[in-house]
Amino acid sequence: MTPAERSGLGFAVAGFVTLSLGDAVVKSMAGEWPPYAVATLRFGIAALALSALLWRSEGRAAFVPQNLPLQMARGACLALASVCFFSAIYIMPLAEAMAIAFLSPILTQILAGLLLGEEVKPKVYAISLIALAGVAIILRPNLALLGWGALLPLVSAVFFALLMVTNRASAGQGSALSMQVFVAVFSVPILVAVSLAAKFSGEPSLDFGWPAWDVVARCAVVAVTASTAHWLAYIGISRAGAAKAAPAIYVQMLIAIAIGWLFFEDVPDAYTLLGAALIIAAGLYLWRDGLKPDAKSDARPSESTKTTP
């Protein structure tokens, strides 16, 4: 590995560690403000900050999407994935929710075949069954304890996979910054609608008021850490290449276990570790398989190794 590739891998690891730290900050707000309100404020702050950066760097023309319905779909997927994941880490240990969320790269390959017509190897479906077995192992005790709420990280993984698919479909329609702005801006109205529907639903447990100043501060921290993490991951992938940097994402699992253990007293049990091992092994197998030359594509990497905006 060259020095540039080593530094790129370091940037990627730093990015994924930063994402896990942001997830821990979200979890710290459990019981203080509902997850849908936290998601609304977090992405509202991000949308404003990123829009200011885009206006300064590319001007007003960059705010006109080439495909409005596609960008709206990206925003909807991000909004729903975030609400489900934030809700999941409110009620579940961070490591368990994170492990199930790692199903999304595998789902992305399947959905890309169904929705974009990309070629999907038969082995992807077989490996997906192994990953789903890992999800089932993690969910089995949680379903008995939490009921249907235990499925929230699985629903989040589905919507995040759909986000990755729509990211692929929108490739080349703008700069990386404009793509971040579109997905954040179009997610906010949906999050606002979800929050208002919850507040005025008449259900006392869903009602909420104005947040305390420290909740606002933590939402701002999450917005900053997420944007920083995406920037670090982008730099890492640019230097090391997507194929070499991709496995760095699984460092999030180690950080999630450490944070849950140290700050939330969530000690992972054998079910979580076994299920996570199956999901991660399935993801790493498909990643390595994607590195193999394809005679039909002049030995180029498979589509699964390419990055999205």
PDB file of all heavy atoms in Angstrom, residues 139-167:
ATOM      1  N   LEU A 139     -32.222  -9.878  16.333  1.00  0.00           N
ATOM      2  CA  LEU A 139     -33.587  -9.438  16.613  1.00  0.00           C
ATOM      3  C   LEU A 139     -34.349 -10.383  17.534  1.00  0.00           C
ATOM      4  O   LEU A 139     -35.291  -9.955  18.216  1.00  0.00           O
ATOM      5  CB  LEU A 139     -34.369  -9.295  15.306  1.00  0.00           C
ATOM      6  CG  LEU A 139     -34.044  -8.085  14.432  1.00  0.00           C
ATOM      7  CD1 LEU A 139     -34.901  -8.109  13.176  1.00  0.00           C
ATOM      8  CD2 LEU A 139     -34.294  -6.783  15.200  1.00  0.00           C
ATOM      9  N   ARG A 140     -33.965 -11.650  17.570  1.00  0.00           N
ATOM     10  CA  ARG A 140     -34.774 -12.639  18.294  1.00  0.00           C
ATOM     11  C   ARG A 140     -35.046 -12.230  19.750  1.00  0.00           C
ATOM     12  O   ARG A 140     -36.209 -12.169  20.170  1.00  0.00           O
ATOM     13  CB  ARG A 140     -34.104 -14.010  18.251  1.00  0.00           C
ATOM     14  CG  ARG A 140     -34.987 -15.131  18.763  1.00  0.00           C
ATOM     15  CD  ARG A 140     -34.359 -16.471  18.425  1.00  0.00           C
ATOM     16  NE  ARG A 140     -33.140 -16.673  19.192  1.00  0.00           N
ATOM     17  CZ  ARG A 140     -33.060 -17.459  20.275  1.00  0.00           C
ATOM     18  NH1 ARG A 140     -34.131 -18.092  20.703  1.00  0.00           N
ATOM     19  NH2 ARG A 140     -31.929 -17.623  20.914  1.00  0.00           N
ATOM     20  N   PRO A 141     -34.040 -11.892  20.542  1.00  0.00           N
ATOM     21  CA  PRO A 141     -34.357 -11.464  21.914  1.00  0.00           C
ATOM     22  C   PRO A 141     -34.988 -10.078  21.966  1.00  0.00           C
ATOM     23  O   PRO A 141     -35.788  -9.786  22.855  1.00  0.00           O
ATOM     24  CB  PRO A 141     -32.993 -11.481  22.613  1.00  0.00           C
ATOM     25  CG  PRO A 141     -31.999 -11.317  21.513  1.00  0.00           C
ATOM     26  CD  PRO A 141     -32.588 -12.001  20.320  1.00  0.00           C
ATOM     27  N   ASN A 142     -34.652  -9.227  21.012  1.00  0.00           N
ATOM     28  CA  ASN A 142     -35.177  -7.863  21.032  1.00  0.00           C
ATOM     29  C   ASN A 142     -36.660  -7.803  20.676  1.00  0.00           C
ATOM     30  O   ASN A 142     -37.392  -6.950  21.171  1.00  0.00           O
ATOM     31  CB  ASN A 142     -34.378  -6.973  20.070  1.00  0.00           C
ATOM     32  CG  ASN A 142     -33.032  -6.591  20.627  1.00  0.00           C
ATOM     33  OD1 ASN A 142     -32.935  -5.829  21.585  1.00  0.00           O
ATOM     34  ND2 ASN A 142     -31.972  -7.124  20.051  1.00  0.00           N
ATOM     35  N   LEU A 143     -37.110  -8.693  19.790  1.00  0.00           N
ATOM     36  CA  LEU A 143     -38.528  -8.711  19.443  1.00  0.00           C
ATOM     37  C   LEU A 143     -39.385  -9.052  20.664  1.00  0.00           C
ATOM     38  O   LEU A 143     -40.464  -8.482  20.855  1.00  0.00           O
ATOM     39  CB  LEU A 143     -38.784  -9.719  18.316  1.00  0.00           C
ATOM     40  CG  LEU A 143     -38.489  -9.241  16.900  1.00  0.00           C
ATOM     41  CD1 LEU A 143     -38.587 -10.399  15.912  1.00  0.00           C
ATOM     42  CD2 LEU A 143     -39.430  -8.127  16.495  1.00  0.00           C
ATOM     43  N   ALA A 144     -38.891  -9.960  21.472  1.00  0.00           N
ATOM     44  CA  ALA A 144     -39.637 -10.329  22.675  1.00  0.00           C
ATOM     45  C   ALA A 144     -39.662  -9.185  23.676  1.00  0.00           C
ATOM     46  O   ALA A 144     -40.649  -8.990  24.393  1.00  0.00           O
ATOM     47  CB  ALA A 144     -39.012 -11.566  23.304  1.00  0.00           C
ATOM     48  N   LEU A 145     -38.574  -8.405  23.707  1.00  0.00           N
ATOM     49  CA  LEU A 145     -38.463  -7.327  24.690  1.00  0.00           C
ATOM     50  C   LEU A 145     -39.096  -6.027  24.210  1.00  0.00           C
ATOM     51  O   LEU A 145     -39.803  -5.342  24.959  1.00  0.00           O
ATOM     52  CB  LEU A 145     -36.987  -7.090  25.020  1.00  0.00           C
ATOM     53  CG  LEU A 145     -36.673  -6.001  26.050  1.00  0.00           C
ATOM     54  CD1 LEU A 145     -37.237  -6.393  27.413  1.00  0.00           C
ATOM     55  CD2 LEU A 145     -35.167  -5.777  26.137  1.00  0.00           C
ATOM     56  N   LEU A 146     -38.870  -5.682  22.932  1.00  0.00           N
ATOM     57  CA  LEU A 146     -39.274  -4.371  22.411  1.00  0.00           C
ATOM     58  C   LEU A 146     -40.479  -4.430  21.480  1.00  0.00           C
ATOM     59  O   LEU A 146     -41.027  -3.387  21.132  1.00  0.00           O
ATOM     60  CB  LEU A 146     -38.097  -3.722  21.663  1.00  0.00           C
ATOM     61  CG  LEU A 146     -36.821  -3.497  22.472  1.00  0.00           C
ATOM     62  CD1 LEU A 146     -35.717  -2.994  21.549  1.00  0.00           C
ATOM     63  CD2 LEU A 146     -37.062  -2.504  23.600  1.00  0.00           C
ATOM     64  N   GLY A 147     -40.864  -5.627  21.029  1.00  0.00           N
ATOM     65  CA  GLY A 147     -41.957  -5.723  20.076  1.00  0.00           C
ATOM     66  C   GLY A 147     -41.513  -5.254  18.694  1.00  0.00           C
ATOM     67  O   GLY A 147     -40.345  -5.385  18.310  1.00  0.00           O
ATOM     68  N   TRP A 148     -42.467  -4.674  17.955  1.00  0.00           N
ATOM     69  CA  TRP A 148     -42.181  -4.258  16.581  1.00  0.00           C
ATOM     70  C   TRP A 148     -41.129  -3.160  16.504  1.00  0.00           C
ATOM     71  O   TRP A 148     -40.519  -2.944  15.458  1.00  0.00           O
ATOM     72  CB  TRP A 148     -43.462  -3.806  15.899  1.00  0.00           C
ATOM     73  CG  TRP A 148     -44.432  -4.916  15.675  1.00  0.00           C
ATOM     74  CD1 TRP A 148     -45.624  -5.110  16.295  1.00  0.00           C
ATOM     75  CD2 TRP A 148     -44.281  -6.014  14.761  1.00  0.00           C
ATOM     76  NE1 TRP A 148     -46.236  -6.252  15.841  1.00  0.00           N
ATOM     77  CE2 TRP A 148     -45.428  -6.829  14.895  1.00  0.00           C
ATOM     78  CE3 TRP A 148     -43.295  -6.403  13.857  1.00  0.00           C
ATOM     79  CZ2 TRP A 148     -45.613  -7.994  14.163  1.00  0.00           C
ATOM     80  CZ3 TRP A 148     -43.479  -7.568  13.121  1.00  0.00           C
ATOM     81  CH2 TRP A 148     -44.618  -8.339  13.274  1.00  0.00           C
ATOM     82  N   GLY A 149     -40.902  -2.451  17.596  1.00  0.00           N
ATOM     83  CA  GLY A 149     -39.878  -1.406  17.599  1.00  0.00           C
ATOM     84  C   GLY A 149     -38.489  -1.939  17.300  1.00  0.00           C
ATOM     85  O   GLY A 149     -37.621  -1.199  16.824  1.00  0.00           O
ATOM     86  N   ALA A 150     -38.270  -3.230  17.557  1.00  0.00           N
ATOM     87  CA  ALA A 150     -36.975  -3.835  17.280  1.00  0.00           C
ATOM     88  C   ALA A 150     -36.664  -3.875  15.793  1.00  0.00           C
ATOM     89  O   ALA A 150     -35.502  -4.051  15.392  1.00  0.00           O
ATOM     90  CB  ALA A 150     -36.918  -5.244  17.857  1.00  0.00           C
ATOM     91  N   LEU A 151     -37.699  -3.737  14.943  1.00  0.00           N
ATOM     92  CA  LEU A 151     -37.492  -3.769  13.483  1.00  0.00           C
ATOM     93  C   LEU A 151     -37.062  -2.423  12.921  1.00  0.00           C
ATOM     94  O   LEU A 151     -36.775  -2.321  11.721  1.00  0.00           O
ATOM     95  CB  LEU A 151     -38.779  -4.223  12.795  1.00  0.00           C
ATOM     96  CG  LEU A 151     -39.263  -5.642  13.109  1.00  0.00           C
ATOM     97  CD1 LEU A 151     -40.569  -5.924  12.384  1.00  0.00           C
ATOM     98  CD2 LEU A 151     -38.209  -6.675  12.730  1.00  0.00           C
ATOM     99  N   LEU A 152     -37.024  -1.386  13.752  1.00  0.00           N
ATOM    100  CA  LEU A 152     -36.681  -0.047  13.252  1.00  0.00           C
ATOM    101  C   LEU A 152     -35.332   0.009  12.527  1.00  0.00           C
ATOM    102  O   LEU A 152     -35.237   0.624  11.461  1.00  0.00           O
ATOM    103  CB  LEU A 152     -36.707   0.956  14.404  1.00  0.00           C
ATOM    104  CG  LEU A 152     -38.099   1.397  14.863  1.00  0.00           C
ATOM    105  CD1 LEU A 152     -38.008   2.147  16.194  1.00  0.00           C
ATOM    106  CD2 LEU A 152     -38.763   2.267  13.806  1.00  0.00           C
ATOM    107  N   PRO A 153     -34.259  -0.585  13.068  1.00  0.00           N
ATOM    108  CA  PRO A 153     -32.992  -0.514  12.317  1.00  0.00           C
ATOM    109  C   PRO A 153     -33.042  -1.255  10.990  1.00  0.00           C
ATOM    110  O   PRO A 153     -32.350  -0.873  10.042  1.00  0.00           O
ATOM    111  CB  PRO A 153     -31.977  -1.146  13.281  1.00  0.00           C
ATOM    112  CG  PRO A 153     -32.782  -1.939  14.232  1.00  0.00           C
ATOM    113  CD  PRO A 153     -34.088  -1.243  14.364  1.00  0.00           C
ATOM    114  N   LEU A 154     -33.872  -2.303  10.898  1.00  0.00           N
ATOM    115  CA  LEU A 154     -34.024  -3.015   9.624  1.00  0.00           C
ATOM    116  C   LEU A 154     -34.728  -2.131   8.602  1.00  0.00           C
ATOM    117  O   LEU A 154     -34.317  -2.062   7.431  1.00  0.00           O
ATOM    118  CB  LEU A 154     -34.804  -4.303   9.848  1.00  0.00           C
ATOM    119  CG  LEU A 154     -35.037  -5.185   8.614  1.00  0.00           C
ATOM    120  CD1 LEU A 154     -33.724  -5.593   7.982  1.00  0.00           C
ATOM    121  CD2 LEU A 154     -35.857  -6.419   8.995  1.00  0.00           C
ATOM    122  N   VAL A 155     -35.786  -1.435   9.028  1.00  0.00           N
ATOM    123  CA  VAL A 155     -36.479  -0.499   8.136  1.00  0.00           C
ATOM    124  C   VAL A 155     -35.529   0.622   7.716  1.00  0.00           C
ATOM    125  O   VAL A 155     -35.502   1.033   6.550  1.00  0.00           O
ATOM    126  CB  VAL A 155     -37.729   0.077   8.824  1.00  0.00           C
ATOM    127  CG1 VAL A 155     -38.412   1.106   7.932  1.00  0.00           C
ATOM    128  CG2 VAL A 155     -38.701  -1.034   9.179  1.00  0.00           C
ATOM    129  N   SER A 156     -34.716   1.096   8.663  1.00  0.00           N
ATOM    130  CA  SER A 156     -33.734   2.136   8.343  1.00  0.00           C
ATOM    131  C   SER A 156     -32.748   1.649   7.288  1.00  0.00           C
ATOM    132  O   SER A 156     -32.398   2.383   6.361  1.00  0.00           O
ATOM    133  CB  SER A 156     -32.982   2.547   9.611  1.00  0.00           C
ATOM    134  OG  SER A 156     -31.964   3.475   9.322  1.00  0.00           O
ATOM    135  N   ALA A 157     -32.292   0.395   7.419  1.00  0.00           N
ATOM    136  CA  ALA A 157     -31.342  -0.153   6.445  1.00  0.00           C
ATOM    137  C   ALA A 157     -31.951  -0.210   5.052  1.00  0.00           C
ATOM    138  O   ALA A 157     -31.270   0.049   4.047  1.00  0.00           O
ATOM    139  CB  ALA A 157     -30.902  -1.550   6.885  1.00  0.00           C
ATOM    140  N   VAL A 158     -33.249  -0.536   4.960  1.00  0.00           N
ATOM    141  CA  VAL A 158     -33.922  -0.586   3.661  1.00  0.00           C
ATOM    142  C   VAL A 158     -33.962   0.808   3.029  1.00  0.00           C
ATOM    143  O   VAL A 158     -33.630   0.975   1.844  1.00  0.00           O
ATOM    144  CB  VAL A 158     -35.351  -1.146   3.812  1.00  0.00           C
ATOM    145  CG1 VAL A 158     -36.121  -0.995   2.499  1.00  0.00           C
ATOM    146  CG2 VAL A 158     -35.307  -2.602   4.240  1.00  0.00           C
ATOM    147  N   PHE A 159     -34.350   1.810   3.805  1.00  0.00           N
ATOM    148  CA  PHE A 159     -34.428   3.167   3.251  1.00  0.00           C
ATOM    149  C   PHE A 159     -33.042   3.723   2.930  1.00  0.00           C
ATOM    150  O   PHE A 159     -32.886   4.468   1.961  1.00  0.00           O
ATOM    151  CB  PHE A 159     -35.169   4.097   4.209  1.00  0.00           C
ATOM    152  CG  PHE A 159     -36.662   3.977   4.117  1.00  0.00           C
ATOM    153  CD1 PHE A 159     -37.400   3.450   5.163  1.00  0.00           C
ATOM    154  CD2 PHE A 159     -37.333   4.382   2.975  1.00  0.00           C
ATOM    155  CE1 PHE A 159     -38.776   3.333   5.078  1.00  0.00           C
ATOM    156  CE2 PHE A 159     -38.710   4.263   2.871  1.00  0.00           C
ATOM    157  CZ  PHE A 159     -39.434   3.738   3.927  1.00  0.00           C
ATOM    158  N   PHE A 160     -32.039   3.352   3.731  1.00  0.00           N
ATOM    159  CA  PHE A 160     -30.692   3.821   3.420  1.00  0.00           C
ATOM    160  C   PHE A 160     -30.183   3.165   2.142  1.00  0.00           C
ATOM    161  O   PHE A 160     -29.489   3.803   1.338  1.00  0.00           O
ATOM    162  CB  PHE A 160     -29.737   3.533   4.577  1.00  0.00           C
ATOM    163  CG  PHE A 160     -28.423   4.245   4.447  1.00  0.00           C
ATOM    164  CD1 PHE A 160     -28.311   5.592   4.740  1.00  0.00           C
ATOM    165  CD2 PHE A 160     -27.289   3.565   4.011  1.00  0.00           C
ATOM    166  CE1 PHE A 160     -27.106   6.246   4.603  1.00  0.00           C
ATOM    167  CE2 PHE A 160     -26.076   4.211   3.869  1.00  0.00           C
ATOM    168  CZ  PHE A 160     -25.976   5.576   4.172  1.00  0.00           C
ATOM    169  N   ALA A 161     -30.525   1.896   1.934  1.00  0.00           N
ATOM    170  CA  ALA A 161     -30.154   1.232   0.681  1.00  0.00           C
ATOM    171  C   ALA A 161     -30.837   1.906  -0.505  1.00  0.00           C
ATOM    172  O   ALA A 161     -30.230   2.097  -1.567  1.00  0.00           O
ATOM    173  CB  ALA A 161     -30.531  -0.251   0.745  1.00  0.00           C
ATOM    174  N   LEU A 162     -32.101   2.296  -0.329  1.00  0.00           N
ATOM    175  CA  LEU A 162     -32.801   3.030  -1.393  1.00  0.00           C
ATOM    176  C   LEU A 162     -32.140   4.377  -1.643  1.00  0.00           C
ATOM    177  O   LEU A 162     -32.078   4.848  -2.791  1.00  0.00           O
ATOM    178  CB  LEU A 162     -34.271   3.219  -1.009  1.00  0.00           C
ATOM    179  CG  LEU A 162     -35.149   1.968  -1.081  1.00  0.00           C
ATOM    180  CD1 LEU A 162     -36.508   2.235  -0.442  1.00  0.00           C
ATOM    181  CD2 LEU A 162     -35.330   1.517  -2.530  1.00  0.00           C
ATOM    182  N   LEU A 163     -31.627   5.004  -0.576  1.00  0.00           N
ATOM    183  CA  LEU A 163     -30.894   6.259  -0.755  1.00  0.00           C
ATOM    184  C   LEU A 163     -29.649   6.028  -1.605  1.00  0.00           C
ATOM    185  O   LEU A 163     -29.331   6.829  -2.496  1.00  0.00           O
ATOM    186  CB  LEU A 163     -30.514   6.828   0.611  1.00  0.00           C
ATOM    187  CG  LEU A 163     -29.607   8.065   0.593  1.00  0.00           C
ATOM    188  CD1 LEU A 163     -30.272   9.232  -0.123  1.00  0.00           C
ATOM    189  CD2 LEU A 163     -29.222   8.466   2.017  1.00  0.00           C
ATOM    190  N   MET A 164     -28.922   4.936  -1.351  1.00  0.00           N
ATOM    191  CA  MET A 164     -27.728   4.646  -2.132  1.00  0.00           C
ATOM    192  C   MET A 164     -28.075   4.406  -3.609  1.00  0.00           C
ATOM    193  O   MET A 164     -27.342   4.818  -4.511  1.00  0.00           O
ATOM    194  CB  MET A 164     -27.017   3.414  -1.566  1.00  0.00           C
ATOM    195  CG  MET A 164     -26.430   3.601  -0.176  1.00  0.00           C
ATOM    196  SD  MET A 164     -25.184   4.924  -0.084  1.00  0.00           S
ATOM    197  CE  MET A 164     -26.167   6.272   0.587  1.00  0.00           C
ATOM    198  N   VAL A 165     -29.202   3.747  -3.835  1.00  0.00           N
ATOM    199  CA  VAL A 165     -29.633   3.492  -5.208  1.00  0.00           C
ATOM    200  C   VAL A 165     -29.969   4.799  -5.912  1.00  0.00           C
ATOM    201  O   VAL A 165     -29.577   5.022  -7.069  1.00  0.00           O
ATOM    202  CB  VAL A 165     -30.837   2.532  -5.238  1.00  0.00           C
ATOM    203  CG1 VAL A 165     -31.422   2.433  -6.639  1.00  0.00           C
ATOM    204  CG2 VAL A 165     -30.421   1.143  -4.755  1.00  0.00           C
ATOM    205  N   THR A 166     -30.698   5.684  -5.229  1.00  0.00           N
ATOM    206  CA  THR A 166     -31.031   6.983  -5.848  1.00  0.00           C
ATOM    207  C   THR A 166     -29.785   7.849  -5.997  1.00  0.00           C
ATOM    208  O   THR A 166     -29.711   8.676  -6.915  1.00  0.00           O
ATOM    209  CB  THR A 166     -32.099   7.719  -5.022  1.00  0.00           C
ATOM    210  OG1 THR A 166     -31.691   7.810  -3.653  1.00  0.00           O
ATOM    211  CG2 THR A 166     -33.431   6.992  -5.093  1.00  0.00           C
ATOM    212  N   ASN A 167     -28.796   7.665  -5.116  1.00  0.00           N
ATOM    213  CA  ASN A 167     -27.525   8.366  -5.290  1.00  0.00           C
ATOM    214  C   ASN A 167     -26.859   7.929  -6.593  1.00  0.00           C
ATOM    215  O   ASN A 167     -26.313   8.745  -7.344  1.00  0.00           O
ATOM    216  CB  ASN A 167     -26.586   8.077  -4.120  1.00  0.00           C
ATOM    217  CG  ASN A 167     -26.915   8.899  -2.890  1.00  0.00           C
ATOM    218  OD1 ASN A 167     -27.736   9.818  -2.936  1.00  0.00           O
ATOM    219  ND2 ASN A 167     -26.294   8.573  -1.780  1.00  0.00           N
TER     220      ASN A 167
END
